[in-house]
Amino acid sequence: MICQEVQLQLSAFLEKSLDPIRVKGIEAHLNSCPPCRAEANELSDCMRQLRELPALEPPAGFAARVMARVREIESERRRQRWSVLRLPSGLPISAAAAVLIAVLSVFIYQKESGMVPDSVPPTGSAMPVAQESASVTEVAQSVAPAASAAPRRAAGETGRVAEIDTARVARASNPIGDQGLPENDPGIDNQTQSPIAAPRRAPIQAQEVATGRSSFRSSAEPSGFGAAIGALNQPPFRSAPFPAAERAFSPLSEPNADIELIVRRRAWERRTQVEETTEDVQQKRSEADAVIASAAARRAVPAPGMGNSSIVEMRWFGVPAHLYGEFRNQLAAEAHIDSERPITGKRDNRSEELLIKVIILPSDR
Amino acid sequence: MKKPSNLIGSMASDSISDAECVRRIQRGETETFEILVRRHEKAIFNLVYRMLGDYDEAAETSQEVFLSAYRAIGQFRGDANFSTWLYRIALNQAATRRKSAGLRRHRLVPLDGTDFVNEVDLGPAESLEKKEIRERVQRALNELEPEDAMVIVLRDLQDSAYEDVARVLNIPVGTVKSRLHRARQALKARLMAYVFAGRKAV
């Protein structure tokens, strides 16, 4: 064994991390080679010196100081998150909101024209945006495709074609008024009055985007169609829960309704309607899912600062096919039925349960 | 005079594992971070101290290490050991600090060797010679290339296994061994001049 070879392995030898055969070879060499032996001793000393370096104690209160800073970081983060959400003009998030609305409108359009199956989830980025920015977004009436438009332009189109009372919702909570929504409020109300004038298609599609932040809703008044359809929530009709799989993609997807009804609240009902309390609802509905569905429905309330008369609401009911007529009568007793549109043609099969989509328009003045 | 035992992967006696702590912090339980700080503060502080050779700098840098870890903990994935991850942050920050400190002042490589007195005083029983040796070892460490110093601090001071050193430095075990050899030779060359001269004189 030559010296160079030995010296390369000295480090490992001194750590005793060599295999026994090599150890024997090196030991033999060291015994016969004074320079290598000296080298080994020096290295061994050096390593011992290193190992003898004492471990020091960190300064007293180190962890406490770190944690104090950590809490500062955390409260700063919270403050920033909060301030983004509360910006009165909403400017930093308006772009995100515009993208969201564009995505929604494309999605709804595609679904309406049968281009994609209902269960197709929205694009991945839409959800976080929705959670972060939007409160209640209603996209309504004749939603045109904005497929290839750039976000800003898409926002403009969406603004024009969306049922305009939603413009107020959007502006109040999450303004995108600077991105192409109509400027004047009078026009808004006029357009609200004529959704059924829209030719040949489901005039209204309401999509709700939940914020997941109840604080946003706390100040909102209940929209209160509860009383108007309250009776329909009891057997044999029940508020239909979305199937679990569908709910997973909620709020951007919805079940395939068999029949779509568009009803209009009567003016006098606005004065007399009383929102059911949560307890009532829970008692009336046997299924836990129904409670969830009702909670979802209740989420479609106006944004803070909004009146409750201009909101398009959407409810779902499961109705046995042979009882559909009765359901319709009850509904008619409580609100004007503006249109009725069978979608799947399932209505004739009397053994099945129909999924009814009821779109509730604001009342006539 | 207790040296740090094997600190990588050591887990004190707390019942909550590092990984579980991390998960809780990621879920928003900010205060759980204190468990991790207390569990690793000594190892991190000593690691940084040996890299820098200055007590106050080490305290400041160690704090930054933990704060960086906290800020980035959302990105931490379970595929790495938390302490490995933390050591990596510590070594990076120490190397950066060392560079800027070296530029800012010549504190780390004092010409007369008198600047290395802020190591804790171990009492009058401690011989002056031993103290002097320690200071010189520290000084020699500070004169090494950062990557050489790292491997020595991890292996010879922290007593980490080769595999752990390799993980922290993100290099193969073979490279750890060869780098360790080179680093020890370099350290020895610096120490020899005074340490062994001193011993022969006794």
Side-chain angles (χ1 to χ4, degrees), chain B residues 68-102:
Chain B
S68 301
Y70 181 78
R71 289 195 191 93
I73 207 157
Q75 285 116 60
F76 178 78
R77 306 257 173 270
D79 50 7
N81 202 320
F82 175 76
S83 53
T84 303
W85 186 68
L86 194 62
Y87 270 49
R88 218 174 269 167
I89 294 173
L91 287 173
N92 283 340
Q93 296 224 353
T96 307
R97 182 67 73 111
R98 201 162 120 134
K99 219 178 284 173
S100 61

Side-chain angles (χ1 to χ4, degrees), chain A residues 194-277:
Chain A
S194 56
I196 10 175
R200 298 225 171 278
R201 28 191 347 259
I204 304 289
Q205 279 276 0
Q207 280 284 335
E208 174 203 354
V209 178
T211 64
R213 289 170 203 276
S214 52
S215 59
F216 269 95
R217 285 178 239 116
S218 56
S219 62
E221 299 205 347
S223 63
F225 199 76
I229 323 194
L232 297 177
N233 282 333
Q234 296 164 59
F237 316 125
R238 59 187 178 83
S239 193
F242 292 8
E246 300 277 10
R247 237 186 353 252
F249 295 125
S250 179
L252 295 180
S253 74
E254 60 183 44
N256 231 346
D258 300 304
I259 295 172
E260 189 182 71
L261 285 162
I262 297 167
V263 303
R264 187 176 291 276
R265 230 179 248 154
R266 289 183 184 134
W268 58 268
E269 284 163 359
R270 269 189 297 149
R271 270 174 281 126
T272 57
Q273 65 193 206
V274 182
E275 178 75 331
E276 289 172 294
T277 66

